[in-house]
mmCIF file of all heavy atoms in Angstrom:
data_model
loop_
_atom_site.group_PDB
_atom_site.id
_atom_site.type_symbol
_atom_site.label_atom_id
_atom_site.label_comp_id
_atom_site.label_asym_id
_atom_site.label_seq_id
_atom_site.Cartn_x
_atom_site.Cartn_y
_atom_site.Cartn_z
ATOM 1 N N ALA U 43 280.624 -88.783 -90.795
ATOM 2 C CA ALA U 43 279.753 -89.789 -90.314
ATOM 3 C C ALA U 43 280.427 -90.568 -89.182
ATOM 4 O O ALA U 43 279.677 -90.974 -88.252
ATOM 5 C CB ALA U 43 279.360 -90.737 -91.431
ATOM 6 N N LEU U 44 281.693 -90.887 -89.299
ATOM 7 C CA LEU U 44 282.438 -91.593 -88.286
ATOM 8 C C LEU U 44 282.440 -90.738 -86.967
ATOM 9 O O LEU U 44 282.374 -91.244 -85.796
ATOM 10 C CB LEU U 44 283.782 -91.976 -88.708
ATOM 11 C CG LEU U 44 284.007 -92.903 -89.790
ATOM 12 C CD1 LEU U 44 285.357 -93.100 -90.241
ATOM 13 C CD2 LEU U 44 283.439 -94.364 -89.242
ATOM 14 N N GLY U 45 282.496 -89.492 -87.090
ATOM 15 C CA GLY U 45 282.570 -88.601 -85.934
ATOM 16 C C GLY U 45 281.243 -88.605 -85.197
ATOM 17 O O GLY U 45 281.151 -88.606 -83.964
ATOM 18 N N VAL U 46 280.145 -88.629 -86.005
ATOM 19 C CA VAL U 46 278.779 -88.738 -85.375
ATOM 20 C C VAL U 46 278.767 -90.051 -84.580
ATOM 21 O O VAL U 46 278.301 -90.128 -83.396
ATOM 22 C CB VAL U 46 277.655 -88.649 -86.404
ATOM 23 C CG1 VAL U 46 276.387 -89.019 -85.846
ATOM 24 C CG2 VAL U 46 277.631 -87.288 -87.066
ATOM 25 N N SER U 47 279.220 -91.131 -85.205
ATOM 26 C CA SER U 47 279.190 -92.457 -84.561
ATOM 27 C C SER U 47 279.956 -92.433 -83.266
ATOM 28 O O SER U 47 279.548 -93.005 -82.181
ATOM 29 C CB SER U 47 279.709 -93.594 -85.550
ATOM 30 O OG SER U 47 278.801 -93.626 -86.544
ATOM 31 N N ALA U 48 281.064 -91.748 -83.373
ATOM 32 C CA ALA U 48 281.965 -91.699 -82.143
ATOM 33 C C ALA U 48 281.234 -90.931 -81.008
ATOM 34 O O ALA U 48 281.327 -91.325 -79.842
ATOM 35 C CB ALA U 48 283.371 -91.051 -82.394
ATOM 36 N N GLY U 49 280.504 -89.842 -81.434
ATOM 37 C CA GLY U 49 279.708 -89.141 -80.482
ATOM 38 C C GLY U 49 278.662 -90.016 -79.779
ATOM 39 O O GLY U 49 278.375 -89.843 -78.660
ATOM 40 N N VAL U 50 278.060 -90.920 -80.652
ATOM 41 C CA VAL U 50 277.109 -91.821 -80.066
ATOM 42 C C VAL U 50 277.620 -92.597 -79.007
ATOM 43 O O VAL U 50 277.064 -92.843 -77.909
ATOM 44 C CB VAL U 50 276.440 -92.700 -81.186
ATOM 45 C CG1 VAL U 50 275.732 -93.855 -80.735
ATOM 46 C CG2 VAL U 50 275.629 -91.899 -82.188
ATOM 47 N N LEU U 51 278.889 -93.149 -79.209
ATOM 48 C CA LEU U 51 279.639 -93.972 -78.258
ATOM 49 C C LEU U 51 279.878 -93.180 -76.845
ATOM 50 O O LEU U 51 279.826 -93.704 -75.894
ATOM 51 C CB LEU U 51 280.928 -94.489 -78.759
ATOM 52 C CG LEU U 51 280.799 -95.444 -79.945
ATOM 53 C CD1 LEU U 51 282.283 -95.817 -80.457
ATOM 54 C CD2 LEU U 51 280.007 -96.684 -79.545
ATOM 55 N N VAL U 52 280.176 -91.865 -77.092
ATOM 56 C CA VAL U 52 280.373 -90.989 -75.953
ATOM 57 C C VAL U 52 279.144 -90.956 -75.080
ATOM 58 O O VAL U 52 279.138 -91.049 -73.869
ATOM 59 C CB VAL U 52 280.717 -89.564 -76.342
ATOM 60 C CG1 VAL U 52 280.702 -88.636 -75.111
ATOM 61 C CG2 VAL U 52 282.130 -89.584 -77.073
ATOM 62 N N HIS U 53 277.939 -90.738 -75.744
ATOM 63 C CA HIS U 53 276.713 -90.720 -75.060
ATOM 64 C C HIS U 53 276.356 -92.080 -74.425
ATOM 65 O O HIS U 53 275.728 -92.160 -73.356
ATOM 66 C CB HIS U 53 275.539 -90.309 -75.953
ATOM 67 C CG HIS U 53 275.498 -88.855 -76.161
ATOM 68 N ND1 HIS U 53 275.233 -87.933 -75.114
ATOM 69 C CD2 HIS U 53 275.693 -88.074 -77.182
ATOM 70 C CE1 HIS U 53 275.225 -86.676 -75.605
ATOM 71 N NE2 HIS U 53 275.557 -86.719 -76.933
ATOM 72 N N THR U 54 276.691 -93.122 -75.062
ATOM 73 C CA THR U 54 276.496 -94.473 -74.417
ATOM 74 C C THR U 54 277.282 -94.532 -73.202
ATOM 75 O O THR U 54 276.838 -95.129 -72.187
ATOM 76 C CB THR U 54 277.011 -95.481 -75.431
ATOM 77 O OG1 THR U 54 276.334 -95.470 -76.693
ATOM 78 C CG2 THR U 54 276.846 -97.021 -74.887
ATOM 79 N N GLY U 55 278.595 -94.079 -73.173
ATOM 80 C CA GLY U 55 279.415 -94.137 -71.986
ATOM 81 C C GLY U 55 278.802 -93.254 -70.939
ATOM 82 O O GLY U 55 278.825 -93.660 -69.701
ATOM 83 N N LEU U 56 278.171 -92.092 -71.204
ATOM 84 C CA LEU U 56 277.495 -91.285 -70.241
ATOM 85 C C LEU U 56 276.410 -91.962 -69.631
ATOM 86 O O LEU U 56 276.091 -91.816 -68.333
ATOM 87 C CB LEU U 56 277.142 -89.926 -70.887
ATOM 88 C CG LEU U 56 278.221 -89.055 -71.399
ATOM 89 C CD1 LEU U 56 277.665 -87.826 -72.069
ATOM 90 C CD2 LEU U 56 279.169 -88.686 -70.278
ATOM 91 N N VAL U 57 275.591 -92.697 -70.456
ATOM 92 C CA VAL U 57 274.446 -93.383 -69.800
ATOM 93 C C VAL U 57 274.915 -94.545 -68.937
ATOM 94 O O VAL U 57 274.391 -94.785 -67.826
ATOM 95 C CB VAL U 57 273.675 -94.038 -71.067
ATOM 96 C CG1 VAL U 57 272.556 -95.013 -70.482
ATOM 97 C CG2 VAL U 57 272.921 -92.948 -71.884
ATOM 98 N N THR U 58 276.016 -95.089 -69.292
ATOM 99 C CA THR U 58 276.497 -96.295 -68.610
ATOM 100 C C THR U 58 276.958 -95.913 -67.209
ATOM 101 O O THR U 58 276.798 -96.653 -66.252
ATOM 102 C CB THR U 58 277.699 -97.017 -69.369
ATOM 103 O OG1 THR U 58 277.293 -97.395 -70.572
ATOM 104 C CG2 THR U 58 278.171 -98.151 -68.564
ATOM 105 N N VAL U 59 277.691 -94.758 -67.161
ATOM 106 C CA VAL U 59 278.150 -94.240 -65.764
ATOM 107 C C VAL U 59 277.166 -93.411 -64.986
ATOM 108 O O VAL U 59 277.543 -92.931 -63.954
ATOM 109 C CB VAL U 59 279.457 -93.461 -66.013
ATOM 110 C CG1 VAL U 59 280.523 -94.467 -66.676
ATOM 111 C CG2 VAL U 59 279.361 -92.314 -66.839
ATOM 112 N N GLY U 60 276.058 -93.122 -65.706
ATOM 113 C CA GLY U 60 275.043 -92.301 -64.888
ATOM 114 C C GLY U 60 275.050 -90.869 -65.125
ATOM 115 O O GLY U 60 274.287 -90.097 -64.569
ATOM 116 N N VAL U 61 275.987 -90.350 -65.994
ATOM 117 C CA VAL U 61 276.079 -88.913 -66.183
ATOM 118 C C VAL U 61 274.957 -88.333 -66.851
ATOM 119 O O VAL U 61 274.542 -87.249 -66.616
ATOM 120 C CB VAL U 61 277.389 -88.555 -66.918
ATOM 121 C CG1 VAL U 61 277.369 -87.035 -67.332
ATOM 122 C CG2 VAL U 61 278.596 -88.955 -66.275
ATOM 123 N N ALA U 62 274.368 -89.163 -67.813
ATOM 124 C CA ALA U 62 273.104 -88.728 -68.557
ATOM 125 C C ALA U 62 272.006 -88.420 -67.576
ATOM 126 O O ALA U 62 271.181 -87.482 -67.784
ATOM 127 C CB ALA U 62 272.738 -89.661 -69.561
ATOM 128 N N ALA U 63 271.821 -89.296 -66.499
ATOM 129 C CA ALA U 63 270.834 -89.081 -65.533
ATOM 130 C C ALA U 63 271.004 -87.774 -64.830
ATOM 131 O O ALA U 63 270.026 -87.086 -64.506
ATOM 132 C CB ALA U 63 270.829 -90.302 -64.656
ATOM 133 N N LEU U 64 272.208 -87.477 -64.529
ATOM 134 C CA LEU U 64 272.448 -86.128 -63.782
ATOM 135 C C LEU U 64 272.120 -84.997 -64.730
ATOM 136 O O LEU U 64 271.590 -83.980 -64.280
ATOM 137 C CB LEU U 64 273.927 -86.072 -63.395
ATOM 138 C CG LEU U 64 274.438 -87.088 -62.320
ATOM 139 C CD1 LEU U 64 275.756 -86.957 -62.069
ATOM 140 C CD2 LEU U 64 273.624 -86.904 -60.980
ATOM 141 N N LEU U 65 272.417 -85.196 -65.902
ATOM 142 C CA LEU U 65 272.190 -84.066 -66.988
ATOM 143 C C LEU U 65 270.608 -83.819 -67.020
ATOM 144 O O LEU U 65 270.138 -82.766 -66.981
ATOM 145 C CB LEU U 65 272.789 -84.384 -68.332
ATOM 146 C CG LEU U 65 272.473 -83.442 -69.465
ATOM 147 C CD1 LEU U 65 273.118 -82.049 -69.165
ATOM 148 C CD2 LEU U 65 273.014 -84.090 -70.753
ATOM 149 N N ALA U 66 269.896 -84.953 -67.181
ATOM 150 C CA ALA U 66 268.469 -84.889 -67.234
ATOM 151 C C ALA U 66 267.794 -84.305 -65.989
ATOM 152 O O ALA U 66 266.822 -83.708 -66.104
ATOM 153 C CB ALA U 66 267.870 -86.330 -67.455
ATOM 154 N N ALA U 67 268.413 -84.427 -64.804
ATOM 155 C CA ALA U 67 267.832 -83.861 -63.597
ATOM 156 C C ALA U 67 268.264 -82.455 -63.390
ATOM 157 O O ALA U 67 267.770 -81.766 -62.406
ATOM 158 C CB ALA U 67 268.298 -84.729 -62.441
ATOM 159 N N SER U 68 269.233 -81.912 -64.180
ATOM 160 C CA SER U 68 269.649 -80.507 -64.033
ATOM 161 C C SER U 68 269.216 -79.665 -65.315
ATOM 162 O O SER U 68 269.886 -79.700 -66.320
ATOM 163 C CB SER U 68 271.186 -80.454 -63.889
ATOM 164 O OG SER U 68 271.662 -79.166 -63.845
ATOM 165 N N PRO U 69 268.076 -78.887 -65.104
ATOM 166 C CA PRO U 69 267.662 -78.017 -66.335
ATOM 167 C C PRO U 69 268.778 -77.056 -66.611
ATOM 168 O O PRO U 69 268.886 -76.722 -67.829
ATOM 169 C CB PRO U 69 266.446 -77.242 -65.565
ATOM 170 C CG PRO U 69 265.974 -78.238 -64.651
ATOM 171 C CD PRO U 69 267.220 -78.866 -63.928
ATOM 172 N N VAL U 70 269.575 -76.558 -65.657
ATOM 173 C CA VAL U 70 270.674 -75.522 -65.956
ATOM 174 C C VAL U 70 271.705 -76.152 -66.867
ATOM 175 O O VAL U 70 272.112 -75.619 -67.855
ATOM 176 C CB VAL U 70 271.156 -75.021 -64.623
ATOM 177 C CG1 VAL U 70 272.457 -74.009 -64.927
ATOM 178 C CG2 VAL U 70 270.109 -74.173 -63.930
ATOM 179 N N ALA U 71 272.146 -77.363 -66.455
ATOM 180 C CA ALA U 71 273.183 -78.066 -67.176
ATOM 181 C C ALA U 71 272.675 -78.411 -68.585
ATOM 182 O O ALA U 71 273.408 -78.313 -69.584
ATOM 183 C CB ALA U 71 273.610 -79.273 -66.451
ATOM 184 N N PHE U 72 271.402 -78.831 -68.637
ATOM 185 C CA PHE U 72 270.810 -79.219 -70.026
ATOM 186 C C PHE U 72 270.812 -77.990 -70.886
ATOM 187 O O PHE U 72 271.209 -78.082 -71.974
ATOM 188 C CB PHE U 72 269.388 -79.738 -69.745
ATOM 189 C CG PHE U 72 268.743 -80.257 -71.018
ATOM 190 C CD1 PHE U 72 268.856 -81.530 -71.191
ATOM 191 C CD2 PHE U 72 267.970 -79.387 -71.795
ATOM 192 C CE1 PHE U 72 268.206 -82.195 -72.317
ATOM 193 C CE2 PHE U 72 267.472 -79.958 -72.925
ATOM 194 C CZ PHE U 72 267.498 -81.320 -73.158
ATOM 195 N N ALA U 73 270.327 -76.848 -70.405
ATOM 196 C CA ALA U 73 270.267 -75.616 -71.165
ATOM 197 C C ALA U 73 271.613 -75.088 -71.617
ATOM 198 O O ALA U 73 271.743 -74.656 -72.699
ATOM 199 C CB ALA U 73 269.481 -74.526 -70.411
#
Side-chain angles (χ1 to χ4, degrees):
L44 289 174
V46 172
S47 297
V50 168
L51 294 178
V52 171
H53 280 295
T54 300
L56 294 179
V57 171
T58 302
V59 300
V61 174
L64 295 176
L65 178 64
S68 174
V70 174
F72 187 92

